[in-house]
Amino acid sequence: MGTFYGNYKGSKFVAKQKKKKGRGLVILAVTLAVLAGLYCVAVFSNIPFVKKWREIYIQTAMSTMRHQWLATYFIPHSVIDDVMARQKAAEEEQIGVNSTDVEIETQAPWNAPNASYATGEAHRELTEEQKQFYAMFWELEVDSMETYLAAHPEAVAQGYDQIKINEAGVDDEGTSIYTTFGEQVLAIDVPNQILIVRLTDHEMYRGVLCVAKDPARLHLYPSAYMGSVGEHVQDIAERHNGVLAMTGSSFIDDGGSGNGGDLAGWCMCDGERHGEHFGWSYKRIELRENNRFYITDAPEPVDDRTTDAVEFTPSLLVNGEKMPVGDWTSLNPRACIGQSEYGEILMLGIEGRNPGVSMGCSVEVCADIFKLHKGQTAINLDGGTSAIVWYDGEPIMRCSNKNTPEGRYLPNAWVYTAGEE
C-alpha cells in the first residue's frame, strides 16, 4: 500500500507539472501571437495614426548616422525605402522653385495707432513714444506688455527706446508678456531691435524664435580656422560684435566625430566664397546687397549681388508660399532661418532628443511657424546636435548633447551685430 500510494502521489505531481508546463506554453504562444500581430500592425498597417507615427519613427532614425539601426534592425527595408522615396520625391518637387524679386515693406504696418490699454478698470491712450515702440514690435499684446512695465518700472525708466528685458536663458522662466499669437516673450531688446519668444507644443517640442528687425546687421561669419577646425557660435559672434547668432553651414561629420572644420557644400561669408556647391535637390539661401533673402537651387550660379549665403535643404517658404515639406516627418532638433514680409530676420531653434522636455519637431512645423510670423523666405539648416541659438552672452536653447551646452564646433555662423552704444 505504501508503495502504491507513493507512486500515485508522484504521478499526480508529474501530471500537475505537465499541466503547468502546458499552460505556460499556451501563454507563451498567445503572447508571441499578440506581439506578432502588433508588429504587423505597426509595420504594415495603413491606419492613418499608425502610418503617421511609423513614418516619423523611420525618418527620425534614418536622419542620424548613429541610430539608423533603430529602423533597419526591426523594419523591412522595403517599408523603409518606401518612406524615404516619398521624401526624395518631395525634394525633387523643390527643384526649380526659386525666389523672385518682390516688394517688401520696410516696417510692419501697426493696425491700431490709436489703441488703448487696460490698467485695472481704466483704459489709457497710448503716447507717441508707445506707438513707435509698438510699431516696431507689432507682435506684442499691448495689455500684457503694459502690465509687465507697471510691475517693473525699472525696465522703462530710460524710456521705451531703451527697454532691454532678457529672460531668455535656458534656465530662465521668461516674462509675463505675450504676443498676439499667444507666445511667451523671453526678451525685448529695443536698442538692438530684437524680440525673442518661446515656442512650445506640450512635451513634444520647445524652442525659440528670434525676430531681428534690422536685416542690415546680419552676416555669415566664418570660423577663424575654417578648413581645419570650427568654432562655437558664441566665439564667432563675439569676435564680430554679435549680439544674436545661430547655426550656419553644415560640415562633414563622419561617424559623428567631425570638428566643424570640413565645410559641407558651399557658402559665402561677407563676400568670400568657400567650398563646393551641393548638387541635386539642395537649396541655397542668399542674402543680397538689398538686405533681402532669396532662395535658389544650390547648383545655380550665385547672384552677383549676394554677400552671404549657405546651402542646405529643404526650403520652407519661397515668395511667401509654403513649400511641400509634409514628407519630412522626423522629430529632430531644428535650426532654420528666414525673413518676414516686413524684412525682419527670423531665427528659429527647436530643442530635441530630450524626452519629457522636447523631442524635436518636423520640418513642416518649422514652416508653419515662419508662416504664422508673416514669413516670406525660409530654409531648413543643419539640425541635430548642430542646432544652436545664442543671445547676449549665452545659448538660449539646449543642445541635444547635454555634454556640449554651448553647441558643436561649426564652420560658420549667422551673426546679427549689436548696434552702436
Side-chain angles (χ1 to χ4, degrees):
M1 290 293 291
T3 303
F4 176 78
Y5 179 75
N7 287 340
Y8 171 77
K9 197 173 181 182
S11 298
K12 191 174 182 181
F13 174 77
V14 170
K16 284 183 177 180
Q17 290 300 104
K18 287 182 177 180
K19 191 173 183 181
K20 286 182 179 179
K21 186 176 181 180
R23 286 178 180 174
L25 289 174
V26 170
I27 292 172
L28 177 61
V30 171
T31 301
L32 290 175
V34 170
L35 290 175
L38 290 174
Y39 174 81
C40 289
V41 169
V43 174
F44 301 109
S45 171
N46 285 320
I47 298 172
F49 176 82
V50 175
K51 184 179 179 181
K52 171 188 172 182
W53 284 101
R54 178 175 65 240
E55 293 185 357
I56 289 173
Y57 178 83
I58 289 172
Q59 285 200 13
T60 301
M62 297 302 291
S63 65
T64 67
M65 294 300 294
R66 293 183 176 182
H67 300 103
Q68 291 184 1
W69 66 271
L70 289 170
T72 58
Y73 190 81
F74 300 104
I75 300 173
H77 284 283
S78 59
V79 176
I80 296 173
D81 291 345
D82 178 65
V83 172
M84 302 312 292
R86 275 184 275 117
Q87 179 177 313
K88 188 174 181 179
E91 291 181 49
E92 190 168 1
E93 281 189 66
Q94 296 213 355
I95 297 175
V97 181
N98 300 323
S99 298
T100 57
D101 281 304
V102 295
E103 291 294 327
I104 295 181
E105 299 291 337
T106 56
Q107 182 173 293
W110 190 48
N111 58 11
N114 297 312
S116 62
Y117 61 94
T119 55
E121 296 180 357
H123 286 260
R124 297 183 181 179
E125 294 297 317
L126 294 176
T127 66
E128 289 303 314
E129 183 184 33
Q130 289 172 314
K131 290 178 183 178
Q132 290 180 16
F133 171 80
Y134 289 112
M136 177 179 293
F137 297 99
W138 58 272
E139 306 95 333
L140 294 178
E141 198 280 310
V142 178
D143 284 356
S144 67
M145 181 70 200
E146 292 301 322
T147 300
Y148 178 91
L149 292 178
H152 301 83
E154 70 282 359
V156 75
Q158 303 299 316
Y160 278 77
D161 62 348
Q162 295 300 313
I163 289 176
K164 190 169 183 180
I165 301 165
N166 184 4
E167 293 292 334
V170 293
D171 294 319
D172 293 339
E173 295 183 357
T175 73
S176 57
I177 308 165
Y178 285 84
T179 68
T180 56
F181 305 122
E183 303 149 336
Q184 182 188 26
V185 173
L186 304 181
I188 301 173
D189 183 344
V190 180
N192 290 307
Q193 301 181 32
I194 294 170
L195 172 68
I196 302 175
V197 301
R198 167 72 64 217
L199 303 171
T200 58
D201 181 13
H202 303 295
E203 293 182 353
M204 187 59 69
Y205 71 82
R206 74 170 229 156
V208 293
L209 179 68
C210 306
V211 185
K213 305 288 182 173
D214 184 1
R217 300 187 188 185
L218 184 71
H219 294 281
L220 185 75
Y221 287 119
S223 157
Y225 318 103
M226 181 179 277
S228 58
V229 65
E231 283 186 287
H232 291 133
V233 163
Q234 176 173 344
D235 295 329
I236 298 174
E238 290 180 342
R239 194 168 62 253
H240 294 282
N241 192 36
V243 66
L244 175 66
M246 72 173 300
T247 309
S249 295
S250 60
F251 58 93
I252 306 300
D253 191 26
D254 291 335
S257 59
N259 65 4
D262 196 357
L263 176 70
W266 179 93
C267 73
M268 179 179 284
C269 296
D270 202 20
E272 294 187 4
R273 299 168 182 250
H274 304 270
E276 299 293 333
H277 291 287
F278 275 129
W280 183 90
S281 86
Y282 274 86
K283 309 295 285 189
R284 182 170 59 248
I285 188 165
E286 299 179 354
L287 182 63
R288 298 179 184 169
E289 293 171 348
N290 61 354
N291 300 317
R292 298 291 181 260
F293 268 142
Y294 296 80
I295 298 284
T296 186
D297 292 328
E300 291 295 311
V302 180
D303 191 278
D304 292 339
R305 299 167 294 172
T306 300
T307 60
D308 304 87
V310 299
E311 295 178 350
F312 209 69
T313 196
S315 56
L316 307 179
L317 300 177
V318 176
N319 290 342
E321 296 297 322
K322 182 179 168 183
M323 293 294 96
V325 292
D327 285 303
W328 276 273
T329 59
S330 61
L331 302 180
N332 274 307
R334 301 288 178 187
C336 309
I337 194 168
Q339 189 169 36
S340 78
E341 63 186 50
Y342 309 130
E344 304 154 323
I345 300 299
L346 304 175
M347 294 181 172
L348 173 64
I350 300 292
E351 300 173 5
R353 302 175 189 168
N354 188 357
V357 178
S358 181
M359 292 298 295
C361 73
S362 69
V363 169
E364 185 165 28
V365 167
C366 298
D368 290 338
I369 291 169
F370 280 102
K371 190 68 175 174
L372 179 66
H373 281 263
K374 315 296 183 184
Q376 179 72 18
T377 306
I379 193 171
N380 178 56
L381 300 174
D382 193 14
T385 53
S386 295
I388 198 74
V389 181
W390 173 92
Y391 169 67
D392 199 21
E394 62 181 337
I396 58 173
M397 64 174 282
R398 290 182 175 88
C399 178
S400 61
N401 184 343
K402 296 179 181 179
N403 296 321
T404 57
E406 69 280 4
R408 298 189 71 179
Y409 288 117
L410 302 177
N412 52 44
W414 286 107
V415 177
Y416 182 84
T417 57
E420 296 181 1
E421 295 292 338

